[in-house]
Every structure is written in C-alpha cells, then in structure tokens.
Amino acid sequence: MEGQPTAEVIEQIRDIPLYRAALAKGHFPVLEKPEIARGFPDNWMTPRLAAALESGEAEFVLSTGTNYARMQLIRPPYFLLHSYYRLWSEHPDLAATWAAGCRRVSLTTVLATEHVARVNAARRGAPPDPVPTLDERRLDDRTCYVNLRLDPALWSRDDVVRMLDEIRLAQEAHPEGWYLLDCSGYHLAHLVRKVGDWGLWDDFPPPAGIVHAYEYTPVNVRRFLHQHFACPVIDLFGSTELGYLYSSDRRGNYRPHLDKMSVELHPVAPDSTLYHLVVTSVRNPYMPLVRYRSGDCVRTTDGTPAPERIAQFCGREKELLDTRHGPVAQGDLDRCVGEATPHVFVHQLRLVGGTDARLAYTTFHGAPLGPAETTALERSVAELTGRRCRLDHRPHIPIGRSGKYSWLARGEA
C-alpha cells in the first residue's frame, strides 16, 4: 500500500505503545502532532527507551515552535547538530570546509543562543549568566552562537562590533581563514545592512560558506545575500523532531538527505498543487515517526506529488491563507513580492475585514517603493489573495517573540 511502512520500519516500532492499534490493523494512518503528545511520554515508552533515558543516551527536549505550540520530544543528545554535521560533511558545496576543520558561527534567534547558554550552565551546575560570554555560547569546539538580542533590526553598533569580533576569532582559528556562517537569512541580511550603514566591511571577514536555516528565507533576502557574498549560499530544510531532510546547492536546486527516512507529498486541498509533507523516519531511534505530518508545505517543479521534484519549501500548513482560488502559502506571497520588486526586505500581510488586505513592508534601502512598483505589487497581491490590497511602508516591522517573523496577521495593526 502506498505510503505504508516497510517491514524493516515495522520491526523497529513494534514495541512502541503509540503504534499498537496501527500494527493490529495492518494500516498506518497519517500521524498528527496531537497524537504524538497524547499520553506523552508513556505512549512512547519501551524498555529500551527507559534504559536510554536512565543512561543519558536519550533526553527530553522541546521543538522550536514559531507561531504554534511547542511539542515535547525525546531524542539522542545533539541529534539535530549531528544531522547538521553529517549533511555539512557530505554536501558538494560545503564538504571541503568540513574536512578542513573550519568553525561554524551561528547567527540566529536569541532563543537559540539562550538555549546553548542554559545547557552549558547546567553542565557547570550554575544558573545561566544574563549576558553569557562567548565561551558560555559555545555549543561544542566547532560551533558558537553570537546573537544576544531578540530583534536584529534593533542591534546597536556595539552589538555589531562585538559579533564581528567573535566572527573574526572563528576565522583566525583556521590556517586558511575559513569559517562557515550558519544563520537565519533575515538575521544575516540585517547584519549586512548595519555593517554597510556603519562602514564596517573591513571588519567582516568573508565566510567560506553560508548556510541559512531555522526559518523560511524570502526570495529577496536570498538575492540580497548573493549580492554581498561570493561563497556558496545554501538553504537547509529540516525540523527539531526530524533533523535535516533537504539542502539546496549554490544555484538553489534541492537535493534530499533522507537517510533512514522516506517522504510522501499530500495535496493540502483537492486538486491543489500545494502539498504538505508526510515523513516516515527512524533516524531518531527513540522516537521513530511513521507517516508523520510535519506541517510543512512544498511546491514541485511540475505540480506533481514527487518528493524528488521539490522546488520550494513554502511555509507552514497552519499559516495557509484560504482564498477563492485555493490555499495560499507564505512562499506564494513571497514569490509574488520577489517578482514585483527586489527592494522589499521584511513583509507581512494583514487581513482587514473579509475583503481587504494591507501589505506592511520594509526595504533594504529604507525608502518606500516608487509609484510604479507600488501599483504593480498591490495588483499582484490582490490577484493572489482575492482581496483589495494597499501597501504600507514602514521603517521597522517587529520580529515575533520566537525571534522569527510572521508573514500573515489578521485584523487592524
């Protein structure tokens, strides 16, 4: 049967209480997030897992929810990091930097930085410092985290100078001056803007490679990064519970990394060419997921549900906008913006009543769009959403509490 687990997968999940009913029926339905949480952790408990938790080979963690509830998980320590390192070591555009032992500087949400500081403080048996030092922000001997502020648009000159100093330490630690910059695309774009505004380019050592992950990176942000860096700029797609599944090459084409995994694409609505991911994975031996709906949406090169033809990871299923033409994803609006103008940086669509929308936006150069681009983008968004659209230029759009941007809002600002 299409999508059903193989005999090898079934053998690995046979003792897990969550799957008893499916095993008895011989059919595995799509696994939703609430089912994972219902009865947790007893619904996952086996003698093997109990022993692993006792020995420290497995641990409890929380998923990194953005605009949805965080989910409790069980996994091996450093599960996501090891998934990242394996992908880095095998990626055609990055493998040389891995083999050469270069360090990784992570420029992403302050929540990620705080997590690393908490882990290190727990090892020391002490409370985390409110302003952790660089040593307290080292995940291991190759990776450190540098952001200490929630909203990167509000970084001060002192913030930027400190981060550049810490980046330079990673660069100087390598005989060839190589380091990998691991980032949220938005955070790096904010850093580039501020480095330019304050004339600090001489203090920003060029990375040997850039990987953006953590959240959706818009077309214009990718374009902006490519304009400012000559190295490979790679997109990673994954999640806390699954690890990394796909990566782009330097030209933006995606390749799978599906070790111990398989992927199905299901339409989000009848006859839709927008699909959501259903993943079977035994990569995490303590919490194997069978036909798990990840909540992520994709489009393919030809509109067919072929996982090898994924062309765009386009946001979260919970954040789809229903229109008379069918569901619209974050990536659909982003594509619309990117085709109209390269100047929009952060944008957020706010629904007003049942018929109107307002597209709040900032630009890379700080000035509003001109009349022609404004008219064209308003028309394009209206065609996409079926709503009258008005553009609303702003000097600043605040980031969310998670340290990530929300593309869709409802009601008056």
Side-chain angles (χ1 to χ4, degrees):
M1 289 178 287
E2 186 177 355
Q4 294 301 301
T6 63
E8 182 180 3
V9 168
I10 288 174
E11 194 56 39
Q12 295 181 65
I13 64 169
R14 190 172 296 284
D15 297 334
I16 298 174
L18 178 74
Y19 296 118
R20 280 176 187 156
L23 286 162
K25 292 177 182 175
H27 176 80
F28 287 76
V30 171
L31 179 63
E32 306 286 355
K33 290 180 188 288
E35 291 301 312
I36 290 176
R38 189 172 290 122
F40 186 92
D42 292 345
N43 58 344
W44 293 95
M45 197 58 62
T46 65
R48 180 190 183 202
L49 175 54
L53 288 167
E54 178 69 23
S55 68
E57 294 176 24
E59 63 182 6
F60 292 101
V61 297
L62 287 172
S63 65
T64 53
T66 309
N67 302 300
Y68 51 92
R70 299 178 79 186
M71 180 170 61
Q72 198 167 17
L73 306 167
I74 305 168
R75 67 181 192 188
Y78 300 110
F79 173 76
L80 196 58
L81 182 70
H82 292 157
S83 173
Y84 184 111
Y85 281 173
R86 177 165 182 182
L87 190 154
W88 179 9
S89 72
E90 296 174 353
H91 193 287
D93 294 312
L94 300 174
T97 63
W98 168 268
C102 80
R103 293 191 179 182
R104 168 179 170 247
V105 177
S106 193
L107 178 70
T108 180
T109 68
V110 72
L111 275 71
T113 305
E114 290 170 348
H115 171 73
V116 172
R118 281 195 304 272
V119 169
N120 287 331
R123 285 202 196 106
R124 298 192 311 271
D129 193 306
V131 184
T133 65
L134 180 58
D135 281 344
E136 293 169 330
R137 291 180 269 118
R138 292 192 188 280
L139 186 59
D140 62 7
D141 59 352
R142 294 189 77 149
T143 297
C144 67
Y145 286 70
V146 296
N147 178 30
L148 292 174
R149 190 184 284 264
L150 176 64
D151 192 337
L154 303 181
W155 282 332
S156 68
R157 194 178 192 279
D158 286 346
D159 290 326
V160 170
V161 168
R162 174 191 55 77
M163 289 190 288
L164 294 179
D165 287 344
E166 292 172 355
I167 289 171
R168 194 160 51 251
L169 288 174
Q171 182 248 353
E172 291 173 349
H174 193 273
E176 301 292 332
W178 289 0
Y179 75 98
L180 187 72
L181 192 54
D182 165 73
C183 64
S184 151
Y186 281 117
H187 283 69
L188 181 54
H190 278 295
L191 183 64
V192 168
R193 290 187 70 208
K194 290 178 180 290
V195 163
D197 289 345
W198 291 321
L200 297 172
W201 275 112
D202 288 346
D203 299 319
F204 192 166
I210 293 170
V211 170
H212 54 77
Y214 301 98
E215 64 179 315
Y216 181 88
T217 301
V219 171
N220 283 348
V221 171
R222 296 189 198 195
R223 185 183 289 148
F224 183 73
L225 298 182
H226 279 284
Q227 289 169 352
H228 286 86
F229 297 99
C231 64
V233 181
I234 306 301
D235 181 36
L236 296 193
F237 171 78
S239 69
T240 310
E241 63 270 29
L242 292 167
Y244 290 98
L245 285 76
Y246 286 83
S247 67
S248 74
D249 60 22
R250 63 173 69 203
R251 291 168 296 281
N253 301 311
Y254 286 97
R255 59 195 297 267
H257 294 267
L258 299 177
D259 175 50
K260 300 180 181 177
M261 303 174 108
S262 62
V263 172
E264 308 164 51
L265 302 187
H266 293 204
V268 300
D271 302 320
S272 177
T273 57
L274 179 66
Y275 299 97
H276 63 78
L277 291 183
V278 173
V279 182
T280 293
S281 173
V282 294
R283 188 184 290 174
N284 174 357
Y286 305 120
M287 201 169 176
L289 297 168
V290 177
R291 307 198 73 214
Y292 166 66
R293 188 202 297 260
S294 75
D296 301 288
C297 296
V298 303
R299 290 197 184 275
T300 58
T301 55
D302 58 1
T304 64
E308 67 276 9
R309 294 179 185 149
I310 289 174
Q312 183 191 38
F313 293 90
C314 45
R316 303 288 302 174
E317 190 174 3
K318 280 196 171 184
E319 298 168 8
L320 294 178
L321 171 63
D322 288 327
T323 76
R324 64 174 180 263
H325 307 300
V328 167
Q330 179 179 5
D332 300 326
L333 177 64
D334 179 45
R335 187 170 57 249
C336 177
V337 172
E339 288 172 352
T341 173
H343 302 303
V344 167
F345 180 15
V346 180
H347 60 267
Q348 183 181 72
L349 186 70
R350 184 169 294 276
L351 308 183
V352 182
T355 59
D356 289 27
R358 186 163 64 250
L359 186 70
Y361 73 96
T362 69
T363 58
F364 292 105
H365 49 59
L369 298 177
E373 282 184 316
T374 297
T375 300
L377 184 51
E378 286 177 341
R379 183 184 303 118
S380 182
V381 173
E383 291 173 357
L384 177 71
T385 63
R387 290 170 172 263
R388 291 189 299 269
C389 178
R390 179 169 63 84
L391 261 60
D392 176 18
H393 174 258
R394 299 184 183 183
H396 174 229
I397 294 176
I399 207 162
R401 288 179 299 172
S402 63
K404 301 179 183 181
Y405 288 103
S406 173
W407 77 279
L408 183 64
R410 301 178 190 275
E412 294 291 341

